[in-house]
Amino acid sequence: MLRRGAERSRIQPVGSQIASGVSVAGHTWNLWRGPNTNWQVISFVSASGDITSFSADLKEFFNYLVANQGVAATQYVQAIQSGTEPFTGSAVLVTNNYSVSLQ
């Protein structure tokens, strides 16, 4: 999971923080890991505030996880989603262009 907004409240990703200051795709992230139903969730949370415009090759994140977090290279993408996760009030996500290519 990529969380482009910095955590400003007591609401946190599932699990616990396992790394900080991780540099991937031109941004700095804090890394969280924890269980969610039947799988492990790994969340990259922006360490430098809100990222209001984002474009990246997601393969950079997978490469980091394989090289540094023990994720097997045999894992594969099952789904890609985008959205907001407001815990109070409301949130808006504006997407001008969305493209995914798996190789």
Side-chain angles (χ1 to χ4, degrees):
M1 177 179 292
L2 301 177
R3 298 178 82 126
R4 299 179 313 126
E7 303 300 326
R8 287 188 211 73
S9 67
R10 293 180 298 185
I11 305 298
Q12 298 175 333
V14 66
S16 57
Q17 186 172 322
I18 59 172
S20 61
V22 173
S23 181
V24 177
H27 296 281
T28 304
W29 311 87
N30 294 325
L31 198 62
W32 290 68
R33 181 181 208 141
N36 185 359
T37 313
N38 296 322
W39 59 84
Q40 285 288 310
V41 175
I42 300 174
S43 299
F44 288 84
V45 179
S46 172
S48 55
D50 292 347
I51 300 171
T52 58
S53 180
F54 182 75
S55 178
D57 184 344
L58 297 180
K59 182 88 166 100
E60 293 181 49
F61 293 91
F62 297 116
N63 289 345
Y64 170 84
L65 293 173
V66 169
N68 299 285
Q69 295 300 324
V71 173
T74 56
Q75 297 287 324
Y76 55 91
V77 175
Q78 290 184 298
I80 294 177
Q81 303 172 338
S82 182
T84 60
E85 217 171 24
F87 296 98
T88 60
S90 61
V92 174
L93 173 68
V94 176
T95 302
N96 295 320
N97 188 352
Y98 183 90
S99 174
V100 175
S101 175
L102 298 176
Q103 300 175 356

